[in-house]
Amino acid sequence: MQKTAPIGIFDSGIGGLTVAHAIKNELPNEQLIYFGDTAHLPYGDKSTATIQAYAVKIADFFLQQKCKVIVIACNSASAAANELLKEYVASRAKIINVIEPMVNYIATTQTNKTVGVIGTKQTINSGIYPQSILAQNTHVKVKALATPLLVPMIEEGFLHNRIAHDVIDKYLGNTALQGIDSLVLGCTHYPLIKDELAGYYNHPIQVLDSSIITATFLKQFLAANNLLATAEQPAHHRFFVSDLTDSFKHSAKLFFGEPVVLEMHRLWE
Ligand code: DGL
């Protein structure tokens, strides 16, 4: 594996650009190839088998591009397809996902605390957060709630209005999340409403953003595996999507925080 080889990052759609942007900031020497499976969005309501089938196709695309690492930048795909992708890709590339770095972070920093996790149905119903956290630290209490309305709400640009506040109040006020000390944003889209989520509480609460934690984890991982691109190379990031609409173009800028040129690439023909 070449140190200068690109890093492949994928998500069900555009939301994973929050992770891609954190990686770009943390690792400015790396070449990034992003793939948003917008043709199959959302993954959060799909079955595990369906998400696995999509993930394998996307991994093939990254392997053709000779990526050294594939980052599963989607919580739902991380919950459904991480183990399968590791087996499928084997020694051809390394696999990183957005859940493992967060779990490690919680296990080391949240002892004797109650941690809330919100995410899609796929992520929450998989039970992966409580199971993996408790496997590392039994002194963390984990409370989880599926919050499926948040993704379409954010995609519609409902971030700071009354409807958004009502939906957030309804979810965070659920008894399932009572008494939490910190809140995990277990979905790519949620960093966009980080302040609104934190603002629900009238006491300070730690909001844990997987995009930043994953980028830090990836940097350490590359260094430990002697895969860091040390020399400066002209950044030539590419952003592919399996379906391209004006609305995806608009959201891309919102999620990446700077202009992005999306290229159409169909994997399913
Ligand atoms: N990217 C997904 C996640 O992080 C959210 C959007 C979807 O459901 O596809 O879980």
Side-chain angles (χ1 to χ4, degrees):
M1 245 172 269
Q2 298 263 3
K3 286 182 185 186
T4 51
I7 295 174
I9 304 170
F10 81 91
D11 177 41
S12 55
I14 301 297
L17 285 171
T18 53
V19 181
H21 197 252
I23 292 175
K24 176 180 173 272
N25 284 347
E26 190 69 29
L27 294 159
N29 293 336
E30 303 290 342
Q31 300 288 334
L32 309 183
I33 301 179
Y34 183 85
F35 188 87
D37 191 8
T38 45
H40 297 123
L41 182 84
Y43 279 8
D45 297 331
K46 300 228 163 40
S47 70
T48 300
T50 296
I51 298 172
Q52 287 178 339
Y54 296 155
V56 164
K57 277 269 187 191
I58 298 167
D60 279 337
F61 169 69
F62 286 138
L63 292 172
Q64 279 159 18
Q65 311 286 321
K66 306 261 178 288
C67 290
K68 58 185 175 186
V69 181
I70 297 173
V71 180
I72 311 176
C74 170
N75 277 263
S76 305
S78 298
N82 182 59
E83 293 312 311
L84 179 99
L85 273 197
K86 269 194 177 150
E87 241 173 74
Y88 178 73
V89 167
S91 61
R92 294 179 289 173
K94 306 276 186 201
I95 305 286
I96 294 282
N97 68 77
V98 282
I99 295 180
E100 197 185 328
M102 179 59 83
V103 164
N104 293 348
Y105 181 83
I106 291 169
T108 49
T109 63
Q110 305 290 309
T111 300
N112 297 327
K113 298 239 167 85
T114 302
V115 177
V117 184
I118 51 173
T120 65
K121 288 183 195 163
Q122 165 63 228
T123 302
I124 299 303
N125 293 345
S126 75
I128 191 158
Y129 275 101
Q131 279 160 25
S132 317
I133 294 166
L134 293 179
Q136 286 196 37
N137 185 344
T138 49
H139 299 286
V140 181
K141 202 164 171 199
V142 186
K143 296 188 163 188
L145 182 73
T147 51
L149 273 183
L150 295 183
V151 165
M153 185 188 95
I154 295 166
E155 295 214 327
E156 275 308 313
F158 282 35
L159 308 177
H160 316 294
N161 61 20
R162 181 83 198 278
I163 295 175
H165 280 112
D166 285 352
V167 174
I168 289 169
D169 284 1
K170 183 82 187 149
Y171 280 140
L172 297 186
N174 192 303
T175 48
L177 291 176
Q178 252 170 31
I180 58 171
D181 301 299
S182 52
L183 181 68
V184 176
L185 307 184
C187 174
T188 48
H189 286 54
Y190 302 171
L192 266 68
I193 51 164
K194 195 173 176 173
D195 292 344
E196 283 70 23
L197 293 165
Y200 166 82
Y201 297 93
N202 42 27
H203 57 275
I205 183 157
Q206 203 183 349
V207 178
L208 304 172
D209 181 345
S210 29
S211 55
I212 297 163
I213 291 172
T214 301
T216 312
F217 179 94
L218 176 61
K219 188 177 186 179
Q220 287 161 357
F221 179 88
L222 291 175
N225 286 277
N226 200 22
L227 282 173
L228 264 180
T230 39
E232 224 170 275
Q233 355 174 28
H236 183 55
H237 309 310
R238 296 190 73 181
F239 302 88
F240 296 98
V241 284
S242 50
D243 190 21
L244 186 54
T245 63
D246 283 344
S247 134
F248 291 141
K249 286 184 196 162
H250 173 78
S251 321
K253 195 176 166 200
L254 203 69
F255 284 99
F256 200 62
E258 53 184 285
V260 180
V261 179
L262 295 180
E263 300 176 54
M264 174 82 169
H265 186 83
R266 288 190 208 278
L267 291 182
W268 284 268
E269 272 173 359

